[in-house]
């Protein structure tokens, strides 16, 4: 039986993964605005397509190390649902995952800015403070939580890269907010005054909506998949340390 990877290795994976996810989101947004300057719909299509594919690739590459959460909401729900059955993240893990994800996300936005010869930090001026956008974030986040845990507890976590990528790509279009669904990514997008940006003043409403969406998602899971916590070790994808020697305890680092 293999144990999960050491915490430091998982934190590297979460930092790099969340950072590259934001680089994909912001970088493809900059490219889309440049390549299709007169067609906002095409810009959104290009941004969504790149994000969906990029997210799937990152989950495939880093999921075996950390589970590829790349999202404080996913990590928090993983801890909440798994703490009773003794699966998933510990409170110590959660306290380390969230800062790593936020720091990685901000670094990813800076990297995207620099790759396109822009200022490392340019605070976004795109206002997104509106009730219908917050509702969109509730829907996007709740759906993401339900999808990830439904896959895990039904033994289909192996298809999470494609499924989660597809969900986020489609949610760009069916939610009014274009589906941020991630507090770390939301914070990072404030650091880039480009197509994918969000004004810092709009962040509190988005983050609150995402947290509420997570609560809604947990409620739906309680109704639909009451044993979802048993699969917390497989969120977003199964992750074990295949480089370690077999053990008989399986105690997470």
């Amino acid at each position: 039986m293999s144990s999960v990877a050491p915490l430091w290795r998982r934190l590297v994976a979460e930092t790099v993964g969340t950072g590259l996810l934001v680089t994909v989101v912001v970088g493809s947004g900059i490219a889309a605005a440049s390549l299709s300057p007169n067609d906002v719909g095409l810009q959104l299509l290009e941004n969504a397509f790149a994000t969906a594919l990029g997210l799937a690739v990152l989950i495939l590459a880093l999921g075996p190390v950390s589970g590829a959460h790349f999202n404080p909401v996913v990590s928090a729900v993983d801890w909440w649902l798994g703490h009773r059955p003794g699966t998933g993240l510990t409170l110590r893990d959660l306290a380390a995952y969230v800062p790593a994800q936020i720091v990685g996300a901000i670094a990813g936005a800076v990297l995207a800015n620099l790759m396109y010869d822009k200022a490392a930090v340019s605070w976004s001026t795109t206002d997104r403070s509106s009730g219908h956008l917050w509702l969109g974030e509730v829907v996007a986040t709740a759906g993401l939580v339900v999808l990830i845990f439904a896959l895990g507890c039904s033994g289909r976590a192996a298809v999470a890269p494609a499924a989660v990528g597809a969900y986020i790509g489609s949610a760009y279009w069916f939610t009014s907010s274009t589906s941020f669904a991630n507090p770390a990514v939301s914070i990072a997008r404030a650091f880039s005054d480009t197509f994918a940006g969000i004004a810092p003043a709009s962040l509190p409403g988005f983050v609150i909506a995402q947290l509420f969406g997570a609560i809604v998602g947990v409620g739906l899971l309680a109704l639909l998949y009451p044993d979802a916590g048993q699969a917390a070790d497989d969120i977003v994808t199964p992750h074990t340390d295949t480089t370690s020697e077999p053990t008989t305890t399986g105690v997470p680092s």
Side-chain angles (χ1 to χ4, degrees):
M1 179 178 179
S2 299
S3 64
V4 297
L7 181 58
W8 69 265
R9 190 179 296 155
R10 287 181 280 147
L11 294 181
V12 171
E14 286 297 302
T15 303
V16 172
T18 313
L20 290 178
L21 172 59
V22 173
T23 301
V24 170
V25 172
V26 174
S28 63
I30 296 172
S34 175
L35 295 171
S36 309
N38 301 314
D39 191 333
V40 177
L42 184 55
Q43 292 173 20
L44 185 62
L45 178 62
E46 292 161 347
N47 191 206
F49 185 70
T51 299
L53 293 182
L55 178 55
V57 168
L58 289 170
I59 295 173
L60 282 170
L62 299 172
V65 181
S66 68
H69 291 190
F70 309 153
N71 187 334
V73 160
V74 172
S75 297
V77 174
D78 186 67
W79 166 74
W80 176 254
L81 292 180
H83 77 281
R84 288 186 178 178
T87 58
L89 296 183
T90 65
L91 188 58
R92 170 176 171 260
D93 292 340
L94 177 63
Y97 265 49
V98 172
Q101 291 159 349
I102 293 174
V103 169
I106 293 171
V110 171
L111 176 60
N113 288 336
L114 293 175
M115 283 199 302
Y116 282 91
D117 197 27
K118 299 184 180 296
V121 174
S122 56
W123 298 111
S124 177
T125 56
T126 303
D127 179 70
R128 299 180 189 265
S129 298
S130 182
H132 72 283
L133 300 180
W134 300 335
L135 178 59
E137 280 302 285
V138 172
V139 171
T141 308
L144 178 63
V145 167
V146 171
L147 169 64
I148 289 171
F149 281 85
L151 291 175
C153 66
S154 61
R156 295 174 295 160
V159 303
V164 174
Y167 174 79
I168 292 298
S170 63
Y172 260 77
W173 289 88
F174 75 73
T175 64
S176 57
S177 62
T178 65
S179 183
F180 285 41
N182 185 328
V185 170
S186 301
I187 292 169
R189 287 167 72 161
F191 284 71
S192 184
D193 191 20
T194 56
F195 179 79
I198 177 173
S202 300
L203 282 176
F206 262 59
V207 172
I208 291 171
Q210 290 157 1
L211 295 176
F212 185 70
I215 294 171
V216 172
V218 169
L220 288 172
L221 286 169
L223 295 173
L224 300 172
Y225 297 94
D227 296 326
Q230 299 290 343
D233 284 334
D234 294 334
I235 303 305
V236 170
T237 60
H239 42 289
T240 57
D241 185 6
T242 56
T243 65
S244 61
E245 293 296 325
T247 68
T248 57
T249 59
V251 178
S253 300

